[in-house]
Amino acid sequence: MQQYFLDQKINCEQKIEFNQEQQHHIAHVLRMKQDTVVRIVDEENHVFLASIHYENQLPYAMVQQQLMDTDKNVEIILVASLIKKEKWEYVLQKAAELGATMIVPFISSRTIVKTSNEKEERKLARWNKIVLEACEQSHQAHRTKVVKPITIKDLPNYLVDVNLVAYEKENVSKHFVQYLKKDTSTLILIGPEGGFEEKEIDQFMKMGIQPCSLGKRILRAETAGLYALSVLDAYNEVKE
């Protein structure tokens, strides 16, 4: 079932107008028929079922019923060092599917990929479109947000209840999962190819960010964050 996000509050039995991009997707990409049922998420992250109808060949929706909210209201923040475009966009897509509520591109001392002010806004728009489509595909009730790239001085602005940095030199006994708390806002910081420098780890620790291991394997930069999000999602899904 297709899902769409709308920037408005929704009520049952309401007529819903889609934006031009959504209209094109419904009518010309998916070629939805009259009475096709879709999921719609409003600005307050409430989920509804609605049926597609056409007027002057343009689609609109009639809201049928509200579904029970299943997403827990906790922040899951992935702070990931920028990597090459194809791998980075893959991380964005999968991180959104795995429940990250925010993705923060990070520029560390070993980050190879650089950004320029001229291209930053265009890249940011593309990144947010990637995660929005991933949230729709995976039926998330929230919209993952990608913010502008930051450096270490900006990091304190994003700290939450549990703050962890994956560090390949950390003792395996201090595994990531041991620091997790049920339904608690969590930030996981992932380094670039080559990892973080020790002085960066020291700076993170002074901020209250705890170094942890992701296990005995050395994971690629694009794998580490997704592994951590998978573990966190499974941890929160399992009933005590």
Side-chain angles (χ1 to χ4, degrees):
M1 184 182 299
Q2 183 65 38
Q3 175 172 297
Y4 296 99
F5 288 98
L6 295 179
D7 297 319
Q8 65 184 81
K9 188 175 180 179
I10 295 176
N11 297 303
C12 288
E13 300 183 6
Q14 180 181 351
K15 180 180 178 180
I16 297 298
E17 303 288 347
F18 295 104
N19 62 38
Q20 287 186 341
E21 185 175 351
Q22 290 168 337
Q23 287 177 337
H24 175 76
H25 190 256
I26 292 167
H28 302 292
V29 177
L30 297 183
R31 297 182 179 180
M32 287 187 186
K33 296 180 179 180
Q34 184 89 358
D35 295 326
T36 299
V37 177
V38 297
R39 285 168 54 106
I40 294 177
V41 183
D42 73 3
E43 63 183 7
E44 297 180 348
N45 296 336
H46 296 144
V47 184
F48 298 82
L49 292 181
S51 57
I52 296 296
H53 300 271
Y54 287 86
E55 188 174 287
N56 297 324
Q57 298 184 326
L58 293 178
Y60 67 92
M62 290 299 299
V63 180
Q64 296 177 339
Q65 69 179 91
Q66 183 175 352
L67 300 180
M68 183 179 297
D69 295 337
T70 56
D71 277 10
K72 298 180 176 67
N73 188 27
V74 294
E75 288 186 275
I76 305 297
I77 301 176
L78 174 64
V79 182
S81 298
L82 281 168
I83 52 179
K84 294 178 181 179
K85 178 182 176 181
E86 294 78 10
K87 293 179 179 179
W88 174 251
E89 292 186 352
Y90 178 83
V91 169
L92 293 178
Q93 182 188 64
K94 301 309 173 187
E97 290 179 19
L98 289 167
T101 57
M102 180 182 293
I103 301 171
V104 183
F106 188 70
I107 300 173
S108 69
S109 60
R110 290 177 177 167
T111 298
I112 298 174
V113 177
K114 305 298 180 183
T115 60
S116 62
N117 291 332
E118 303 81 48
K119 296 181 179 179
E120 191 172 88
E121 290 299 329
R122 191 164 68 249
K123 283 185 176 180
L124 194 58
R126 175 174 171 78
W127 294 345
N128 274 288
K129 184 176 181 181
I130 290 170
V131 298
L132 179 64
E133 290 174 352
C135 288
E136 289 177 339
Q137 181 275 324
S138 56
H139 287 187
Q140 305 281 0
H142 69 265
R143 300 176 226 205
T144 302
K145 181 181 180 181
V146 187
V147 300
K148 292 182 178 180
I150 68 167
T151 59
I152 197 167
K153 66 180 177 59
D154 306 305
L155 198 48
N157 297 326
Y158 295 90
L159 299 184
V160 289
D161 298 324
V162 175
N163 303 285
L164 304 169
V165 54
Y167 189 41
E168 70 277 6
K169 294 183 181 179
E170 191 55 77
N171 192 302
V172 175
S173 64
K174 295 183 178 181
H175 193 277
F176 169 71
V177 74
Q178 294 179 286
Y179 296 92
L180 301 182
K181 297 179 181 179
K182 208 77 169 177
D183 300 331
T184 301
S185 295
T186 304
L187 176 147
I188 178 68
L189 176 56
I190 302 295
E193 297 170 0
F196 289 120
E197 294 183 352
E198 288 188 19
K199 65 179 182 179
E200 290 176 312
I201 296 296
D202 291 339
Q203 288 177 284
F204 298 150
M205 292 180 68
K206 289 177 182 177
M207 296 179 192
I209 302 173
Q210 181 67 48
C212 63
S213 168
L214 295 183
K216 61 184 179 181
R217 302 177 185 85
I218 301 298
L219 304 177
R220 293 181 182 272
E222 66 269 23
T223 308
L226 301 182
Y227 168 81
L229 290 173
S230 298
V231 171
L232 180 55
D233 185 59
Y235 180 85
N236 281 327
E237 286 291 331
V238 175
K239 295 182 180 179
E240 294 180 343

